[in-house]
Amino acid sequence: MAHAALLHCSQSSRSLAACRRGSHYRAPSHVPRHSRRLRRAVVSLRPMASSTAQAPATAPPGLKEGIAGLYDESSGLWENIWGDHMHHGFYDSSEAASMADHRRAQIRMIEEALAFAGVPASDDPEKTPKTIVDVGCGIGGSSRYLAKKYGAQCTGTTLSPVQAERGNALAAAQGLSDQVTLQVADALEQPFPDGQFDLVWSMESGEHMPDKRKFVSELARVAAPGGTIIIVTWCHRNLDPSETSLKPDELSLLRRICDAYYLPDWCSPSDYVNIAKSLSLEDIKTADWSENVAPFWPAVIKSALTWKGFTSLLTTGWKTIRGAMVMPLMIQGYKKGLIKFTIITCRKPGAA
């Protein structure tokens, strides 16, 4: 899951002026001085490069360390209450989520993403992926599921040493050590050769990437010729033709979410499509699944209000508590139509 950095204001260069107008952040006086210095560096707003000719974005100071620390601290709590899949569930639009069916909905999210991308079913072994990379793997819920489903070799990457260690322990406990390996690695500098993976999977990690073009470029680089790329991520809405930026209240809401979850450049679904096109990727498809994940955050809040959730939360740390405090803002963002839960799939061109 995503999980305060830079905020991208729009789907095009029209948003530059609006981003600059909202580019100052003042830390609360109760925050320690060294934390205020870091947060000013991380939360200042900057537009995403919408032109392939523009210079690549650079990660703000402390971003990777903040993301790793957040997940080092919170992953145990999440697993204890919600299990090993650290992402939204997929629900019918009229369905109310409950603790009883959350795992089913999380597994359904994986299956819906595979179906949307047209990944062959597991009963067609000649066409199923044999090598998979899970970019931003958490504790490896998707990695293990995909490895078992396809009988594939799956490598997961995360910035969190705690997540990698726990994920490898779970793989060993399930007899999957020969199929699943998790390691600490930067998604923007993946330690793999070109063209290694039949399926490149990113479930709710793209929102952490400070350079979206570099992110997608790396996914494409490690994909095998003809390989499938699946990105499921948080976006902000596309701008209307008459707009030059998001509204001030929308920017304010996203800033507060970014501050809690260590999120750099937000971008729109159109940004991802344009990046994929610029990289000559094929069969580009996207969909808005916001209605299908709407029940998820209320269910997470409900679980936090149980005795088990409340006592577990108190034993974690400030990063996790701060994240829990802004969960209602995620609900508000979805209801306003500002936050879009988006899937983008595409295919790397086959060998000539």
Side-chain angles (χ1 to χ4, degrees):
M1 283 181 64
H3 321 292
L6 307 167
L7 179 61
H8 169 50
C9 293
S10 125
Q11 71 195 73
S12 74
S13 59
R14 294 176 299 164
S15 64
L16 300 183
C19 284
R20 293 182 182 121
R21 285 196 297 270
S23 62
H24 299 289
Y25 171 84
R26 184 183 297 272
S29 59
H30 67 273
V31 177
R33 182 170 298 175
H34 71 278
S35 297
R36 293 205 299 271
R37 286 198 300 268
L38 173 61
R39 194 171 299 171
R40 279 195 293 268
V42 171
V43 182
S44 61
L45 304 186
R46 177 175 63 78
M48 192 187 84
S50 59
S51 167
T52 57
Q54 293 182 2
T58 56
L63 176 62
K64 290 198 295 185
E65 295 80 4
I67 295 169
L70 173 63
Y71 288 116
D72 282 350
E73 182 181 286
S74 63
S75 294
L77 169 64
W78 181 270
E79 182 187 2
N80 186 37
I81 296 177
W82 276 77
D84 61 342
H85 289 277
M86 301 182 66
H87 58 79
H88 284 71
F90 189 101
Y91 307 87
D92 293 327
S93 56
S94 59
E95 184 180 0
S98 69
M99 288 299 293
D101 64 8
H102 70 268
R103 180 172 174 81
R104 175 187 61 80
Q106 289 174 311
I107 295 299
R108 183 179 174 189
M109 175 63 74
I110 297 174
E111 291 292 346
E112 293 283 349
L114 293 169
F116 184 83
V119 179
S122 55
D123 59 0
D124 190 357
E126 293 299 317
K127 297 181 180 179
T128 56
K130 306 299 188 297
T131 53
I132 302 169
V133 63
D134 182 0
V135 180
C137 62
I139 58 172
S142 292
S143 301
R144 291 184 296 277
Y145 183 85
L146 294 170
K148 286 188 285 187
K149 178 180 177 69
Y150 294 117
Q153 298 292 318
C154 188
T155 302
T157 63
T158 173
L159 289 175
S160 165
V162 170
Q163 288 187 332
E165 181 178 1
R166 177 57 179 158
N168 285 326
L170 289 171
Q174 296 175 24
L176 293 170
S177 292
D178 59 339
Q179 287 180 258
V180 178
T181 303
L182 272 58
Q183 65 187 78
V184 176
D186 186 346
L188 301 185
E189 298 289 344
Q190 296 188 49
F192 310 118
D194 297 356
Q196 182 166 338
F197 301 102
D198 302 325
L199 175 60
V200 178
W201 176 270
S202 172
M203 176 62 70
E204 296 189 57
S205 64
E207 52 269 27
H208 281 305
M209 307 302 166
D211 186 336
K212 297 297 192 288
R213 178 178 170 79
K214 176 65 172 174
F215 170 53
V216 179
S217 178
E218 273 293 277
L219 299 184
R221 182 185 66 79
V222 302
T228 299
I229 300 169
I230 299 177
I231 304 169
V232 181
T233 189
W234 306 0
C235 293
H236 69 60
R237 65 175 178 83
N238 291 324
L239 291 185
D240 293 332
S242 61
E243 291 181 304
T244 58
S245 74
L246 295 174
K247 298 178 176 67
D249 64 311
E250 293 175 323
L251 294 173
S252 176
L253 178 60
L254 290 182
R255 263 198 303 269
R256 295 166 68 188
I257 294 171
C258 286
D259 192 33
Y261 293 135
Y262 290 87
L263 302 180
D265 301 349
W266 283 68
C267 69
S268 70
S270 292
D271 286 319
Y272 271 111
V273 170
N274 291 334
I275 291 171
K277 288 179 178 178
S278 75
L279 295 170
S280 300
L281 297 173
E282 301 175 346
D283 299 334
I284 302 166
K285 298 191 298 181
T286 184
D288 178 4
W289 285 355
S290 301
E291 288 190 6
N292 299 104
V293 302
F296 178 76
W297 285 95
V300 174
I301 292 174
K302 185 176 180 180
S303 70
L305 296 177
T306 64
W307 178 251
K308 179 181 180 181
F310 181 71
T311 54
S312 298
L313 185 63
L314 291 179
T315 63
T316 54
W318 172 240
K319 290 184 178 71
T320 306
I321 293 171
R322 186 176 63 182
M325 290 170 63
V326 303
M327 288 191 293
L329 300 183
M330 290 295 299
I331 298 175
Q332 184 180 345
Y334 278 122
K335 288 183 175 179
K336 288 168 65 73
L338 169 61
I339 298 175
K340 297 296 184 180
F341 191 89
T342 304
I343 180 169
I344 306 100
T345 66
C346 52
R347 184 173 56 83
K348 187 173 181 175

